[in-house]
Amino acid sequence: GAGLQFDGLRTQINTNIKDNAGVPLALADLTTVMRNIVTVGGKPQAVVCSYREVQRISELVLSSHYRLFQAGAGALADIPAGVSVTKWVSPFGTVDIIGSRYIVPTGAPTPVADVLVIDDVTILEDGNAIQMVDLMPLSAIDLALLQSAYRTLVGEFTVLQMTAEAFQGKVSNVGE
């Protein structure tokens, strides 16, 4: 792309990448990326992924660590009633599990997607490790008069600023 093109967070993470090569996500994949973030001074805050991976993380955490029972429910005793994982206490702290409609599995024959592990809270000398920054705050600009009509442009220019790319990570090519 062009020098001024914005490609998004996924393409800005270039250092801490674990390639799954089409293999389904495992909790060990996430902890590997998180360990790399913690080693360089960051603290994982969130896992951002497709809804397919949100479901997978819920299944992994619930099947690995929890078994729910309903007293007196007979044959339905071990069926969880709408349980989903939205926070996970990982070996490196509590992280939010966030589903994103912008991360969609693509490709054939097996669709793959990326899973992002981000630290948006750690504060460095020049701001948060990752943050949105206003290049031009919300403002109004009067334009030239056109056939006695007043025109005003209202705009705000905001960009994603990543000041600590080493504090971010991703598991790429996650399969079904």
Side-chain angles (χ1 to χ4, degrees), residues 157-173:
F157 300 101
T158 306
V159 296
L160 178 70
Q161 177 185 9
M162 187 182 309
T163 57
E165 193 261 337
F167 291 4
Q168 319 306 322
K170 71 180 169 185
V171 181
S172 64
N173 299 314

Side-chain angles (χ1 to χ4, degrees), residues 40-93:
V40 295
K43 183 181 181 317
Q45 300 291 331
V47 173
V48 183
C49 53
S50 72
Y51 289 105
R52 180 186 76 183
E53 273 63 55
V54 169
Q55 178 184 355
R56 175 90 174 138
I57 292 168
S58 289
E59 291 169 355
L60 288 170
V61 171
L62 293 172
S63 67
S64 299
H65 304 288
Y66 302 100
R67 183 148 177 99
L68 304 176
F69 294 95
Q70 299 172 6
L76 300 175
D78 63 343
I79 298 175
V83 178
S84 178
V85 174
T86 57
K87 284 187 184 287
W88 174 44
V89 181
S90 77
F92 305 101

